[in-house]
Short mmCIF file of all heavy atoms in Angstrom, two decimals:
data_model
loop_
_atom_site.label_atom_id
_atom_site.label_comp_id
_atom_site.label_asym_id
_atom_site.label_seq_id
_atom_site.Cartn_x
_atom_site.Cartn_y
_atom_site.Cartn_z
N LEU Z 68 -40.08 -79.68 -17.34
CA LEU Z 68 -39.23 -79.00 -18.43
C LEU Z 68 -37.90 -78.67 -17.78
O LEU Z 68 -37.84 -77.92 -16.89
CB LEU Z 68 -39.85 -77.84 -19.07
CG LEU Z 68 -39.08 -77.37 -20.34
CD1 LEU Z 68 -39.08 -78.39 -21.45
CD2 LEU Z 68 -39.74 -76.04 -20.82
N GLN Z 69 -36.86 -79.26 -18.24
CA GLN Z 69 -35.47 -79.02 -17.56
C GLN Z 69 -34.37 -79.01 -18.57
O GLN Z 69 -34.45 -79.57 -19.75
CB GLN Z 69 -35.19 -80.01 -16.60
CG GLN Z 69 -35.03 -81.50 -17.16
CD GLN Z 69 -34.73 -82.49 -16.09
OE1 GLN Z 69 -35.17 -82.34 -14.81
NE2 GLN Z 69 -34.32 -83.68 -16.39
N TYR Z 70 -33.24 -78.33 -18.22
CA TYR Z 70 -31.99 -78.46 -18.99
C TYR Z 70 -31.11 -79.47 -18.33
O TYR Z 70 -31.02 -79.63 -17.09
CB TYR Z 70 -31.33 -76.94 -18.93
CG TYR Z 70 -29.79 -77.07 -19.26
CD1 TYR Z 70 -29.54 -77.10 -20.59
CD2 TYR Z 70 -28.92 -77.10 -18.31
CE1 TYR Z 70 -28.21 -77.08 -20.95
CE2 TYR Z 70 -27.42 -77.19 -18.63
CZ TYR Z 70 -27.22 -77.22 -19.97
OH TYR Z 70 -25.90 -77.29 -20.42
N SER Z 71 -30.61 -80.35 -19.22
CA SER Z 71 -29.97 -81.45 -18.63
C SER Z 71 -28.59 -81.80 -19.46
O SER Z 71 -28.60 -81.56 -20.74
CB SER Z 71 -30.79 -82.72 -18.72
OG SER Z 71 -30.19 -83.89 -18.26
N HIS Z 96 -25.90 -81.35 -24.38
CA HIS Z 96 -26.75 -80.34 -23.79
C HIS Z 96 -28.24 -80.56 -24.27
O HIS Z 96 -28.45 -80.28 -25.43
CB HIS Z 96 -26.26 -78.89 -23.92
CG HIS Z 96 -24.83 -78.73 -23.47
ND1 HIS Z 96 -24.50 -78.31 -22.27
CD2 HIS Z 96 -23.71 -79.02 -24.08
CE1 HIS Z 96 -23.20 -78.29 -22.11
NE2 HIS Z 96 -22.59 -78.68 -23.19
N TYR Z 97 -29.10 -80.96 -23.44
CA TYR Z 97 -30.44 -81.17 -23.88
C TYR Z 97 -31.53 -80.26 -23.19
O TYR Z 97 -31.31 -79.90 -21.97
CB TYR Z 97 -30.86 -82.62 -23.57
CG TYR Z 97 -30.18 -83.67 -24.30
CD1 TYR Z 97 -29.17 -84.40 -23.83
CD2 TYR Z 97 -30.62 -83.95 -25.65
CE1 TYR Z 97 -28.54 -85.39 -24.51
CE2 TYR Z 97 -29.98 -85.04 -26.39
CZ TYR Z 97 -28.91 -85.70 -25.82
OH TYR Z 97 -28.39 -86.70 -26.47
N LEU Z 98 -32.58 -79.97 -23.81
CA LEU Z 98 -33.78 -79.40 -23.32
C LEU Z 98 -34.79 -80.64 -23.22
O LEU Z 98 -35.18 -81.29 -24.27
CB LEU Z 98 -34.40 -78.41 -24.22
CG LEU Z 98 -35.72 -77.68 -23.61
CD1 LEU Z 98 -35.36 -76.93 -22.34
CD2 LEU Z 98 -36.31 -76.69 -24.57
N GLU Z 99 -35.10 -80.94 -22.03
CA GLU Z 99 -35.72 -82.29 -21.68
C GLU Z 99 -37.06 -82.20 -21.13
O GLU Z 99 -37.28 -81.36 -20.23
CB GLU Z 99 -34.76 -83.16 -20.79
CG GLU Z 99 -35.17 -84.59 -20.59
CD GLU Z 99 -34.09 -85.28 -19.91
OE1 GLU Z 99 -33.15 -85.80 -20.61
OE2 GLU Z 99 -34.15 -85.36 -18.65
N MET Z 100 -38.04 -83.07 -21.43
CA MET Z 100 -39.47 -82.97 -20.88
C MET Z 100 -39.79 -84.43 -20.43
O MET Z 100 -40.24 -85.12 -21.19
CB MET Z 100 -40.41 -82.46 -21.89
CG MET Z 100 -41.77 -82.28 -21.24
SD MET Z 100 -42.99 -81.40 -22.25
CE MET Z 100 -43.09 -82.60 -23.57
N VAL Z 124 -38.71 -87.09 -23.36
CA VAL Z 124 -38.25 -86.79 -24.74
C VAL Z 124 -37.33 -85.62 -24.58
O VAL Z 124 -37.61 -84.74 -23.69
CB VAL Z 124 -39.45 -86.44 -25.71
CG1 VAL Z 124 -40.18 -85.18 -25.25
CG2 VAL Z 124 -38.91 -86.16 -27.11
N ALA Z 125 -36.23 -85.51 -25.29
CA ALA Z 125 -35.28 -84.46 -25.16
C ALA Z 125 -34.74 -84.06 -26.60
O ALA Z 125 -34.64 -84.88 -27.48
CB ALA Z 125 -34.05 -85.07 -24.38
N TYR Z 126 -34.45 -82.70 -26.63
CA TYR Z 126 -33.93 -82.12 -27.91
C TYR Z 126 -32.51 -81.55 -27.60
O TYR Z 126 -32.27 -80.84 -26.58
CB TYR Z 126 -34.83 -81.00 -28.31
CG TYR Z 126 -34.28 -80.35 -29.60
CD1 TYR Z 126 -34.50 -80.80 -30.89
CD2 TYR Z 126 -33.69 -79.06 -29.49
CE1 TYR Z 126 -34.02 -80.12 -31.97
CE2 TYR Z 126 -33.26 -78.28 -30.57
CZ TYR Z 126 -33.37 -78.89 -31.90
OH TYR Z 126 -32.86 -78.33 -32.96
N GLY Z 127 -31.52 -82.01 -28.35
CA GLY Z 127 -30.19 -81.58 -28.18
C GLY Z 127 -29.95 -80.19 -28.72
O GLY Z 127 -30.08 -79.80 -29.85
N LEU Z 128 -29.59 -79.36 -27.71
CA LEU Z 128 -29.15 -78.01 -28.01
C LEU Z 128 -27.86 -77.84 -28.51
O LEU Z 128 -27.52 -77.04 -29.57
CB LEU Z 128 -29.38 -77.11 -26.74
CG LEU Z 128 -30.62 -77.12 -26.07
CD1 LEU Z 128 -30.59 -76.38 -24.79
CD2 LEU Z 128 -31.75 -76.43 -26.99
#
Side-chain angles (χ1 to χ4, degrees):
L68 186 64
Q69 64 183 18
Y70 165 79
S71 178
H96 304 265
Y97 289 102
L98 185 63
E99 186 172 275
M100 186 173 67
V124 62
Y126 177 78
L128 302 173

